[in-house]
Amino acid sequence: MTELSTTTPLPRRTLAEQMAASLTEAIIAGQFAPGEALPTEPELAEQFGVSRAVVRDATRMLVARGLVDAQHGRGVFVTDSPIAPFGDALLLALRRTGATAWDVERFNQMVLPDVMAEATRQATEEDLNEIRRLADAYKTIFNTVTRRTWDQTDPPSQDQEISMAAFRSFYRAIFMATHNALWSLLIDPLLRLRMPRSWDSSNLTVDEFIDHENRLIDAWVAAIVGRDPDQARSAAAELVSLPPEAETAMRATPVGEIPQIPVTLPPSSAI
């Protein structure tokens, strides 16, 4: 067995780093509940035996980790989850590398079949009922929003966001049904990256457009509630397949923006 050299010095941590590490462990252990305020700056300085400048440095580290939110004049509060800042940071990192909507889409194509297959194995009856409920809720919202905005050349962004929020809830439920802790944490950052697509619907009626989306969502649900992992994997691979025109449009669209796809909705396309 290879032994570490005892002459290799371990990196020393500053007082702020030691304090941030201690507070991080306290938050992870549940000593501070989400939404709860940390002790005040003077109280922390006294408790840890450090200066208030050290407390401020440690607080900045916790903010950077997404563990707390410093609110001017009110205090420092434990966040519900550090995932939202991670999602924002991931989007920014992808934009800096010149990533496109296709990078996100291709990742989704590789991941979703296995996620859906795992959901068929791990989902409880409560999970399946929730997936059905959220699917129906999304279809209702999509129907309402689509009919309201069908003839508008520039529909309000809030209408699109309402529809996307309902879709994300449905999509999230599928990932949560895997009962995998990593997927449960990653799904929100992944959804942060996934934007809707704008298809050419000029040759479709509003009823045809809505019916297409309903059939798509119903196929997703059927693939999971069927409890057949192989069938779910195959169905998911077909559901996320896209025509070459869509790939071309997505490769030309920066990540975080809506791709304009110059073809009518294909049978297996997602929103």
Side-chain angles (χ1 to χ4, degrees), residues 10-196:
L10 295 175
R12 293 184 178 181
R13 294 194 297 178
T14 66
L15 290 175
E17 290 171 335
Q18 294 176 49
M19 180 179 174
S22 179
L23 289 171
T24 295
E25 290 303 316
I27 292 171
I28 292 174
Q31 296 180 30
F32 297 100
E36 182 179 349
L38 294 184
T40 65
E41 189 176 288
E43 289 172 338
L44 286 173
E46 181 178 358
Q47 178 179 342
F48 283 89
V50 297
S51 69
R52 294 177 64 169
V54 170
V55 174
R56 287 192 289 272
D57 286 343
T59 299
R60 281 192 285 268
M61 294 177 189
L62 296 179
V63 170
R65 295 170 186 171
L67 292 172
V68 300
D69 177 30
Q71 301 179 17
H72 182 69
R74 296 192 63 233
V76 178
F77 298 85
V78 176
T79 58
D80 290 332
S81 169
I83 291 300
F86 170 71
D88 292 339
L90 181 58
L91 176 59
L92 181 60
L94 286 170
R95 290 178 63 186
R96 293 185 67 179
T97 64
T100 68
W102 178 249
D103 291 303
V104 176
E105 184 60 33
R106 185 65 186 127
F107 182 82
N108 181 67
Q109 289 178 342
M110 292 186 287
V111 164
L112 190 61
D114 284 333
V115 168
M116 289 184 63
E118 185 67 6
T120 67
R121 289 188 287 260
Q122 303 299 335
T124 65
E125 285 303 313
E126 290 77 10
D127 292 329
L128 298 182
N129 288 336
E130 181 70 355
I131 288 172
R132 293 188 187 97
R133 184 186 71 80
L134 292 171
D136 289 340
Y138 167 64
K139 289 190 295 182
T140 298
I141 291 173
F142 182 83
N143 186 323
T144 301
V145 170
T146 300
R147 292 186 186 280
R148 184 169 63 234
T149 61
W150 186 252
D151 294 325
Q152 300 179 22
T153 56
D154 188 20
S157 60
Q158 61 264 31
D159 280 326
Q160 188 175 70
E161 183 53 38
I162 289 171
S163 185
M164 277 303 296
F167 176 77
R168 290 183 182 115
S169 294
F170 164 67
Y171 198 90
R172 182 183 296 107
I174 295 174
F175 277 68
M176 298 298 288
T178 65
H179 291 274
N180 180 280
L182 187 57
W183 279 128
S184 297
L185 285 175
L186 287 179
I187 181 54
D188 283 327
L190 294 180
L191 285 172
R192 174 75 173 85
L193 301 175
R194 194 179 191 279
M195 300 298 290

